[in-house]
Amino acid sequence: FRDDQKEVDFVLKKADTLVAIEIKSAHEGLSHSGLDVFVKKFNPKSVYLVGPGGLSVEKFLTTPLNELI
């Protein structure tokens, strides 16, 4: 998802259900403006931040997709 300079890394869709996923590699510059815009526009079921300050990469990669949606 991209809106001007704001973006969300991944969007999952199943029927009418949306899930936003943002991947971060460092604590510095943890701007969530893309997620904020996406949430306001689409009201997703879930939003996941993967990386420092959120879900660990290992946990994200081992979680079955159907549990995220």
Side-chain angles (χ1 to χ4, degrees):
F1 165 81
R2 181 179 293 275
D3 184 326
D4 194 29
Q5 296 297 316
K6 296 168 178 56
E7 66 179 19
V8 172
D9 292 323
F10 298 98
V11 176
L12 305 179
K13 181 178 181 186
K14 182 177 181 182
D16 292 332
T17 301
L18 292 176
V19 173
I21 301 171
E22 183 71 17
I23 310 294
K24 296 292 184 187
S25 61
H27 283 290
E28 296 178 34
L30 285 179
S31 171
H32 303 298
S33 60
L35 284 174
D36 294 339
V37 170
F38 186 83
V39 167
K40 287 179 186 175
K41 282 189 170 190
F42 301 105
N43 192 29
K45 174 186 174 187
S46 300
V47 175
Y48 294 97
L49 176 63
V50 179
L55 191 63
S56 74
V57 173
E58 295 80 11
K59 177 68 175 166
F60 175 70
L61 292 175
T62 58
T63 301
L65 198 54
N66 63 335
E67 290 182 23
L68 296 176
I69 296 182

